[in-house]
Amino acid sequence: MQGNGPGIGSAGDADRRTASRERRGQTTLDFAIGMSIFLLALTFVLAFVPGMLEPFSGGAQTETPAVNRVADDLTQGTLSDASTPYVLDGECTAELFTTGVPAACQYDGTTLADRVGIRDYAPVNVTIRGDLDDSGEDSVLCWDASASPPTLVEKSGGCGTVLSGGSKPSGGGGKTVSAQRVALLDGEDVTVEVVMW
């Protein structure tokens, strides 16, 4: 016995199937919007993740901790007494840039890289600058040992030991990393600059 409803294969089944297709969850427009969002997210990841990881890759940035360590060591211990950091000893500072090593100084080695503890790790340059004549412009300084007592002067022709040493960065546009520390040398404010590349 059949009920009052439409039978199998009747027009009522076809209406229900057509109605269910019209109410389905995904349309062509939904798919296009979803894929667009996915592709934008994928493009963002491919474009920006390598830049986010770059600070952890090799390059000049790997010298940042080393250059800061060298600058700190020079101003807080190697060229000064640990009890008076940032007050540099004149004789040890001058001899850092020559071949001699006074017994009272806290470094050894024959090259500047050896004396600051870098060895062959990376090229290093140390320069001490100051404005002794109040011109408003820092100049490379010299230690004039011929004066009595030895004194600090701005660099000029034949001024004594130039307080700058190490190799110079090449002019090829390579990346350098520098650290600067302000210290007291011979009663004058000076800037100790360490550059590595």
Side-chain angles (χ1 to χ4, degrees):
M1 175 170 176
Q2 289 184 338
N4 294 337
I8 297 177
S10 68
D13 278 343
D15 290 339
R16 269 187 253 140
R17 278 184 291 204
T18 304
S20 71
R21 282 189 204 136
E22 291 173 359
R23 290 182 298 193
R24 67 182 178 172
Q26 183 178 21
T27 64
T28 306
L29 185 58
D30 293 335
F31 178 76
I33 291 172
M35 284 306 291
S36 298
I37 292 172
F38 172 76
L39 291 174
L40 283 173
L42 183 65
T43 302
F44 174 81
V45 168
L46 293 177
F48 292 105
V49 168
M52 289 182 221
L53 298 177
E54 188 175 325
F56 304 108
S57 64
Q61 295 299 323
T62 58
E63 282 84 17
T64 301
V67 76
N68 279 314
R69 181 192 59 82
V70 169
D72 287 340
D73 284 351
L74 286 173
T75 56
Q76 297 177 18
T78 303
L79 300 178
S80 66
D81 187 350
S83 62
T84 56
Y86 303 106
V87 178
L88 308 182
D89 178 84
E91 183 181 5
C92 289
T93 300
E95 292 300 322
L96 179 72
F97 301 102
T98 66
T99 57
V101 180
C105 298
Q106 300 180 33
Y107 57 82
D108 58 2
T110 56
T111 66
L112 183 65
D114 289 340
R115 292 176 180 185
V116 298
I118 297 297
R119 310 244 184 258
D120 295 327
Y121 171 69
V124 63
N125 179 280
V126 177
T127 302
I128 299 179
R129 301 176 191 279
D131 181 17
L132 303 181
D133 61 2
D134 295 325
S135 66
E137 193 172 315
D138 282 352
S139 301
V140 176
L141 300 178
C142 295
W143 188 253
D144 188 1
S146 65
S148 182
T151 187
L152 191 63
V153 295
E154 289 191 9
K155 182 181 175 184
S156 62
C159 66
T161 303
V162 178
L163 302 182
S164 180
S167 55
K168 301 285 185 204
S170 63
K175 296 180 181 178
T176 62
V177 179
S178 66
Q180 296 180 343
R181 301 293 184 271
V182 176
L184 194 65
L185 175 60
D186 195 34
E188 299 286 344
D189 289 332
V190 298
T191 301
V192 178
E193 180 182 33
V194 179
V195 179
M196 295 176 69
W197 58 97

